[in-house]
Amino acid sequence: MLKRRQVLLAVGASVSGLSLPPLAQTADSSLKGTPIENIKLTHLTVNKNAPVVFYSPSVSPQAVLDIFKAVGLPVQGKVGLKVVFGNQRDRAKMIDPALLKPIADELHATLIESNYMDSARSNAAAHLATAKSLGYDKVAPIDILDAEKEIAIPVHNSYHLKNFITGSHLADYDTLVSIVRFKGHNLQRYSGATKNLSICLGTARGACQVHSAGEVTDYYHPSSPKETSESMADAVSAALDYKKGRWVFINIINALKPVDGCSGTADRPDLGIVASTDPIAADRAALDIVYGLTSDPELRKEWEREHSVDVLDYAERKGLGSKVYRLQKID
């Protein structure tokens, strides 16, 4: 049974732009003996208006289910677990299918994903075959969201995008869980909830939209890093508005070998799992943990610049969540 150490913010509450400066330190003694007890969590706060990020110090299939339950979002209707299948080339960077089995079984969920631009995921048949080759079909049914057609969901108060193109099957789901193997390194941009709800929720045309700041949808045409980050925030806002109050965000921070060009990196151990109904807080907490592996503040800033953490700034300005958070350990 899960144990709560204190009464916290109501489920789904989130505050952006909190004026209280975060505490540049770890949380209370509840983190003693965990993998992150000595990590400086730069956006942690004691402000009771801040959203709660739940933290599990263990990484296991049961821990994924337990942390979802700790978040407390009532499950309604058809459940979709938004994952990224990747391909055989990226297999070492993708989420272990075994970690998804208990939560998929408990929620009678479907694994959902959109097509992408690479050949292994460019159409529903190829994408499904790729997912099966990686063992995801043994976890739960698989639904390629744009197997039939696309939909354009609206973006309000946008930086660049007027709409965001995703798969029509997204309309079928009532409860959605973003589950990501969190990558602070390894990719050009860090990979967490914001990427899963933008570039990875969009179809190939939706991904082109985001990368080009809305200029094109039929080929890859990168805009400036700033415009891409702003467009990612636009796409996240569209996804949140389309299924308002129906999302949970889980970032699995398990052992991973960094393979990018950042200086000062080392193989990371299992560091735990974070989850929240606030995607910005969930990503910021995961980034604090991963980039907190260095005690050098300048190196940490370099990593954040290199991996486009500024997407959280643009998302927070749009009111999509808060970069400061409270941390609640679960047992």
Side-chain angles (χ1 to χ4, degrees):
M1 178 173 293
L2 299 176
K3 299 177 183 178
R4 307 278 183 103
R5 296 187 183 273
Q6 57 185 356
V7 178
L8 292 173
L9 191 68
V11 171
S14 174
V15 177
S16 65
L18 292 172
S19 59
L20 182 69
L23 302 177
Q25 60 186 34
T26 54
D28 59 31
S29 59
S30 69
L31 294 181
K32 186 175 177 58
T34 73
I36 67 170
E37 64 175 324
N38 296 315
I39 289 178
K40 183 177 286 189
L41 303 175
T42 56
H43 292 73
L44 186 70
T45 185
V46 293
N47 189 328
K48 292 183 178 180
N49 291 319
V52 176
V53 174
F54 293 89
Y55 169 69
S56 167
S58 65
V59 177
S60 69
Q62 186 61 41
V64 174
L65 175 58
D66 286 347
I67 204 166
F68 171 81
K69 289 180 175 180
V71 172
L73 184 77
V75 177
Q76 300 176 11
K78 190 173 182 180
V79 180
L81 305 184
K82 174 61 183 75
V83 297
V84 177
F85 298 128
N87 53 51
Q88 289 288 353
R89 184 189 67 232
D90 295 329
R91 186 169 196 157
K93 295 186 294 190
M94 306 318 298
I95 192 169
D96 180 354
L99 290 172
L100 304 173
K101 184 63 173 169
I103 189 172
D105 287 349
E106 178 87 7
L107 303 182
H108 305 288
T110 300
L111 303 183
I112 62 173
E113 171 65 313
S114 298
N115 288 317
Y116 195 59
M117 290 177 276
D118 63 57
S119 59
R121 297 176 289 169
S122 61
N123 60 74
H127 202 167
L128 185 59
T130 297
K132 288 181 176 180
S133 75
L134 296 169
Y136 290 100
D137 61 317
K138 297 177 176 60
V139 173
I142 295 171
D143 183 6
I144 306 302
L145 295 175
D146 53 325
E148 294 177 330
K149 62 182 180 179
E150 299 174 326
I151 54 174
I153 57 180
V155 177
H156 303 293
N157 301 315
S158 69
Y159 292 111
H160 302 285
L161 307 186
K162 301 307 178 189
N163 58 60
F164 174 50
I165 302 172
T166 186
S168 63
H169 292 184
L170 186 62
D172 299 337
Y173 294 90
D174 307 292
T175 301
L176 293 130
V177 186
S178 164
I179 307 184
V180 175
R181 186 180 189 188
F182 191 86
K183 292 175 278 292
H185 297 285
N186 299 84
L187 300 170
Q188 182 178 5
R189 288 177 168 270
Y190 89 86
S191 182
T194 57
K195 188 171 182 182
N196 202 24
L197 263 66
S198 57
I199 293 169
C200 298
L201 183 63
T203 64
R205 290 183 351 110
C208 288
Q209 262 187 314
V210 173
H211 282 298
S212 69
E215 290 295 317
V216 299
T217 60
D218 53 350
Y219 61 94
Y220 178 69
H221 177 68
S223 59
S224 71
K226 176 180 181 290
E227 289 174 326
T228 299
S229 291
E230 290 170 337
S231 299
M232 288 176 68
D234 282 343
V236 171
S237 71
L240 294 178
D241 284 345
Y242 189 61
K243 297 291 179 176
K244 192 176 293 291
R246 303 309 313 146
W247 285 94
V248 170
F249 305 95
I250 299 174
N251 288 328
I252 299 171
I253 317 170
N254 57 350
L256 190 63
K257 180 181 178 63
V259 292
D260 60 4
C262 285
S263 60
T265 59
D267 292 2
R268 82 180 190 205
D270 283 356
L271 294 171
I273 306 172
V274 296
S276 181
T277 55
D278 184 321
I280 311 310
D283 274 9
R284 187 62 260 184
L287 286 163
D288 281 357
I289 290 169
V290 172
Y291 292 161
L293 291 174
T294 179
S295 58
D296 182 343
E298 292 306 312
L299 182 58
R300 186 172 183 150
K301 289 178 184 177
E302 179 184 319
W303 289 352
E304 296 213 358
R305 286 193 299 268
E306 179 68 22
H307 294 289
S308 301
V309 174
D310 63 347
V311 65
L312 297 182
D313 298 327
Y314 302 122
E316 187 181 56
R317 289 172 198 170
K318 283 176 68 72
L320 306 184
S322 169
K323 290 187 300 179
V324 298
Y325 56 87
R326 290 180 289 154
L327 199 68
Q328 173 62 59
K329 177 177 171 288
I330 68 167
D331 297 317

